[in-house]
Amino acid sequence: MAKTVIIIGAGWAGLPLAHKLLKYTVPKMPDLKVVLVSPNSHFFWNVAATRGIIPGEIADEDLFIPIAPVFEKYGETNFEFVLGAATGISPSLNSINVGMTDGTQRTLAYDQLVIASGSRIKSNLPFKLLQSHNETISAWHDLQTKVGNASSIVIAGAGPTGIEVAGELGAKYGRKKKITLIASQPEFLPDASPSVQSTIMKDLKKLGVNTMMGTKVKDATQSQITSKWTIETSGAPNSTIEADLYLPLHGVVVNTSFVPEDLLDKSGNLNLQGDFRVAGTSNIWGIGDVGNLEPKQVTVTDAQIIHLANALDTVLTTSNSITPYKKMDKTMIFVSMGRSHATGQIGNWTLWGFMVNYVKGRKLFMDTAKGYVGGEHLRHAKM
């Protein structure tokens, strides 16, 4: 009997999961159809966005890779790419509603549903995909122009993205532009070792980046006349900073507005069981940033994809029980600040900067992007 698996989201988790099912489950179940739903026609290699915001550093075609062509090899019988945004789920009817990019509406039926709709930055800066490729690329070019024109840039939020943006800008512009990084914590990356924290501080200083530790942004306003930003901080009474460009890179919002509230936890994440099934359901699953099992970082996606692909294969082709998922139990940090400065940590081991720089900092994995999107391999594992 024909079965349909719908995957909502064609990002870091959803797209390779579709490849896995088409490569390994379809041969066992020739009448299986995989439907990939996304409002974005292109995959965004946003691990390189921290350098890509600098004009001329990375070409658009290397950052934004068309999705539809990489699935043509599977044929229309077993695969469909639906260009639209999920607007609702009806678990009792095993169906989803999709607002198509052409303005029409579709209702799609599923046997198994995977929600992999990812997350966005609270400020909607285009370091993650926006509602469509056209919207993302327009915002991306606008941001590149602003970075190029700005003499002073303030970055708020000292997570890995904020640190890497500050490092890339410092590496490119040195002291030609005033780069300031505001961190709400008294140290960088609280889960990192003191050695990693110290290295980040030293490297940013070498790159000419000003750091404001233990400081929060209370308010940020942009002048309609000059376009300059006035940023009020918690540092000292009436402490303000003026800048040509302000980049708030703190706060992640999961894309679950279309999901029934009873499937979510208090923070808006999918409420997942240990096998990635949504609690209270038998055929709805979650993977990637939308879930609440693991940190929202790309380093965990390989293991999640492999587990869920195997779980779906088991459910669809056998009556066997699903092998429990083993969550990542060690700290993994890889931070690059330009092409020459980097640091990292695996478990309790601090990595030499040159090692992280060689693996990540030189190319930001750009040389693996097309193979990942094309279904040839995962980030650090075989497809």
Side-chain angles (χ1 to χ4, degrees), residues 6-10 35-40 81-90 95-101 104-108 110 113-118 120 130-132 254-260 290:
I6 293 179
I7 301 172
I8 299 175
V35 180
L36 187 60
V37 179
S38 172
N40 285 279
F81 182 44
V82 176
L83 194 58
T87 57
I89 300 174
S90 299
S95 68
I96 69 169
N97 297 321
V98 180
M100 304 295 287
T101 55
T104 60
Q105 298 287 324
R106 284 186 65 181
T107 298
L108 304 174
Y110 62 82
L113 175 65
V114 179
I115 303 172
S117 46
R120 65 186 187 278
L130 304 182
Q131 284 302 305
S132 69
V254 289
N255 298 323
T256 55
S257 60
F258 60 92
V259 179
V290 292

